[in-house]
Amino acid sequence: MKSFHRKGYAQLVEWKNSSPRSKAVIVLGARRIGKSFLVEEFAKTEYKSYILIDFSSVDDSVFSLFAQYGNKMRINEFFNQLSVIFSTPLYEHESLIIFDEVQKYPKAREFIKHLVADNRYDYIETGSLISIKKNVKDILLPSEEEKMYLHPLDFEEFLWVFGDEVTVPFLREHFESKKPLGNLLKTINEKLRLYMIIGGMPQSVAAYIETKKYDAAEAAKRAILDLYRDDIAKYADTYVAEARAIFDAIPVMLSHHDKKIKYSALGQGDRFSVSYSNALHWISESMVGSLCYGVEEPVLFEGFSIEPSKAKCYMGDTGLLLTLAAGKNYLTSEIYKSFVLGKLSVNKGMMTENLIAQMLATNNHPLRFYETITDSKKKYEVDFLLRKNGKTLPLEVKSGNAVAHPSLDFVSKNFKPDMEKPIVLTKGDLRETSEYLFLPLSMGMFL
């Protein structure tokens, strides 16, 4: 598969150049997100030598090595034999050892504590939280490792694949100076629409780059969705049915007006059961999706006044959402055809709201929303809430051209001292009024 330039590379360089001398990082992300490609590219470029141990395909000699010498008393022989097995010399402070798919052999992860203390080499692990957590019941997890999360290609990384290194800096300059995009808005929206169709999964992007056909990208995305369904069966323990129900229902839930998870629609009434709670954690920890929780009050962010029974579930990759929604017969799907033809408002903004959720999650924002029903039975809902400058920043996502924003008006009026000026993200151009800042959807990546 084609290797792409990822921002995670710079994060790994920063990690390598930090103290102490020997260190470990675990790169976490959804399956097929490109963890192994990124780490090996980094190892080839930044170290004198490296050894990659892929625990999904190594032979018994490697497992025997860990079983016999994987302890601090026999660490010298461990390195000697590891070097021979992989025919690779190891240089103190200039070599990297990679534990790829470490969830397949969690005892190797436990050994990291002693390897780091030995202070000779650096260590990177890759894995997925869903399978790691299932296999570490009797394992002492190392406190020495840092965590790094890898997401699908963001809009800028996607454009880099096409050789476009000017669009996002141009966008950022206009965002920071609050200048409209003018005639270039249409061009940028077309690039954004392509990103939303293809998505940011490396295999899907590579398939499109090679063929310039949506068909190839769709085939790659369907294979990834099938893999995720297989993962549910393997790792979701006693809540397989609940996790599968939530996963398959994400497009339906997001197409509704309030987009919250409706347990009654999943066949379990309105109760928030332990099984559904575990299933939601599976969705989140696998990084297949991102959970957005309701809060009791928009200004109680620091106290995490979360209402766990109020949750929205977004796909981790918007391109995968389109494929999941369209199904295998996507060419006859109205949602697919409408979106490809440029109708961003399809299904009440399901795609555009998911896009913004993906951008916020990539920027490590906890996803939160607010809804309330007043004494007069009027309902208000704010799509997303962020924290900025010690205040709450309300966001509303509009795929159409609505001019009224009653929910933003409500929270601004009732929580004014603790509120930043609300932002409305639309397919239109940047403009600012006394009440709102309107931003193009593409600028959501800067929030």
Side-chain angles (χ1 to χ4, degrees):
M1 186 181 75
K2 179 180 174 62
S3 181
F4 304 132
H5 179 48
R6 304 296 307 271
K7 294 176 181 178
Y9 191 101
Q11 289 179 258
L12 288 174
V13 170
E14 183 178 356
W15 162 81
K16 179 179 184 289
N17 295 333
S18 65
S19 297
R21 188 69 189 230
S22 179
K23 58 192 75 69
V25 64
I26 183 166
V27 181
L28 299 165
R31 298 251 269 151
R32 296 294 188 266
I33 210 74
K35 299 183 295 292
S36 301
F37 284 97
L38 169 65
V39 168
E40 188 163 17
E41 180 183 17
F42 172 73
K44 289 176 181 176
T45 306
E46 304 294 336
Y47 287 87
K48 188 172 182 179
S49 74
Y50 74 94
I51 291 175
L52 190 152
I53 308 171
D54 183 353
F55 286 107
S56 66
S57 61
V58 295
D59 58 35
D60 290 340
S61 64
V62 174
F63 293 116
S64 297
L65 173 64
F66 276 90
Q68 190 170 358
Y69 299 105
N71 60 76
K72 64 180 180 180
M73 304 302 296
R74 311 189 75 180
I75 202 165
N76 289 328
E77 190 58 25
F78 173 82
F79 288 134
N80 288 333
Q81 295 206 19
L82 184 69
S83 181
V84 171
I85 290 173
F86 286 90
S87 303
T88 301
L90 291 171
Y91 305 94
E92 287 195 22
H93 309 307
E94 297 182 89
S95 292
L96 174 70
I97 299 175
I98 302 168
F99 291 171
D100 198 24
E101 301 289 349
V102 72
Q103 72 272 8
K104 301 286 186 182
Y105 192 62
K107 284 189 178 295
R109 188 178 178 203
E110 187 178 35
F111 191 33
I112 285 288
K113 177 182 181 68
H114 304 299
L115 293 174
V116 170
D118 175 73
N119 198 36
R120 272 181 262 186
Y121 314 113
D122 288 349
Y123 305 89
I124 296 181
E125 306 155 87
T126 74
S128 169
L129 273 174
I130 49 169
S131 42
I132 285 178
K133 289 200 170 186
K134 182 180 175 68
N135 295 331
V136 295
K137 294 177 181 178
D138 301 315
I139 298 298
L140 180 63
L141 298 183
S143 59
E144 289 75 13
E145 67 183 19
E146 298 180 29
K147 288 185 174 66
M148 174 182 148
Y149 295 94
L150 192 65
H151 299 272
L153 275 71
D154 68 15
F155 185 41
E156 185 170 25
E157 291 172 319
F158 180 80
L159 293 177
W160 286 345
V161 178
F162 295 86
D164 181 350
E165 298 184 4
V166 299
T167 294
V168 171
F170 173 82
L171 273 172
R172 184 178 286 107
E173 190 274 326
H174 280 245
F175 169 76
E176 292 174 351
S177 60
K178 294 184 179 178
K179 292 192 301 187
L181 298 173
N183 293 333
L184 288 174
L185 174 66
K186 181 177 180 181
T187 300
I188 291 172
N189 277 346
E190 282 299 303
K191 293 179 180 182
L192 186 68
R193 186 171 61 88
L194 180 64
Y195 171 60
M196 294 168 74
I197 294 170
I198 304 302
M201 302 302 288
Q203 288 180 324
S204 172
V205 178
Y208 180 78
I209 288 294
E210 183 177 347
T211 65
K212 297 297 187 291
K213 293 182 178 179
Y214 291 150
D215 285 356
E218 287 304 310
K221 288 189 289 179
R222 286 198 302 273
I224 293 170
L225 291 173
D226 288 342
L227 179 68
Y228 289 168
R229 290 189 181 95
D230 290 342
D231 281 347
I232 293 175
K234 290 178 183 177
Y235 304 117
D237 290 329
T238 59
Y239 43 91
V240 169
E242 290 84 355
R244 184 174 287 145
I246 292 173
F247 178 76
D248 287 330
I250 290 175
V252 175
M253 292 184 290
L254 291 180
S255 67
H256 292 159
H257 178 72
D258 65 6
K259 298 179 174 61
K260 293 196 301 296
I261 296 173
K262 296 290 194 303
Y263 300 101
S264 57
L266 300 174
Q268 292 293 326
D270 290 318
R271 62 189 178 87
F272 183 66
S273 68
V274 173
S275 292
Y276 274 114
S277 176
N278 289 333
L280 286 173
H281 283 300
W282 182 92
I283 296 288
S284 177
E285 291 177 349
S286 68
M287 296 178 69
V288 166
S290 298
L291 299 180
C292 182
Y293 286 105
V295 294
E296 294 175 3
E297 286 191 34
V299 295
L300 293 180
F301 235 73
E302 301 301 332
F304 291 99
S305 56
I306 291 174
E307 299 179 274
S309 62
K310 290 184 179 179
K312 296 186 285 188
C313 186
Y314 298 98
M315 285 293 288
D317 178 70
T318 302
L320 287 180
L321 172 64
L322 179 61
T323 301
L324 185 62
K328 292 185 177 180
N329 297 319
Y330 66 95
L331 290 177
T332 61
S333 164
E334 287 303 315
I335 181 174
Y336 190 86
K337 288 193 290 185
S338 297
F339 197 76
V340 168
L341 293 174
K343 299 177 181 179
L344 297 182
S345 60
V346 66
N347 280 41
K348 297 183 174 62
M350 171 181 71
M351 294 288 290
T352 50
E353 192 168 320
N354 197 93
L355 173 71
I356 298 304
Q358 180 180 344
M359 289 176 170
L360 297 178
T362 298
N363 289 341
N364 298 315
H365 289 294
L367 300 185
R368 303 289 183 263
F369 73 96
Y370 173 70
E371 70 170 9
T372 189
I373 299 177
T374 64
D375 293 338
S376 59
K377 306 301 182 184
K378 189 148 188 179
K379 183 176 179 179
Y380 298 99
E381 181 173 332
V382 178
D383 295 330
F384 300 105
L385 300 171
L386 305 183
R387 290 297 287 177
K388 182 179 180 182
N389 302 322
K391 293 185 177 182
T392 297
L393 172 61
L395 305 179
E396 188 171 280
V397 183
K398 291 292 184 184
S399 56
N401 297 307
V403 294
H405 308 281
S407 294
L408 294 181
D409 293 339
F410 176 83
V411 296
S412 294
K413 177 182 177 181
N414 288 276
F415 303 97
K416 189 174 183 63
D418 299 296
M419 285 286 168
E420 289 278 325
K421 177 182 283 190
I423 291 177
V424 183
L425 292 141
T426 77
K427 62 181 180 181
D429 207 346
L430 188 151
R431 63 187 178 92
E432 188 172 18
T433 67
S434 58
E435 294 87 13
Y436 310 116
L437 174 62
F438 294 84
L439 295 178
L441 290 166
S442 53
M443 289 187 182
M445 67 187 299
F446 305 130
L447 298 176

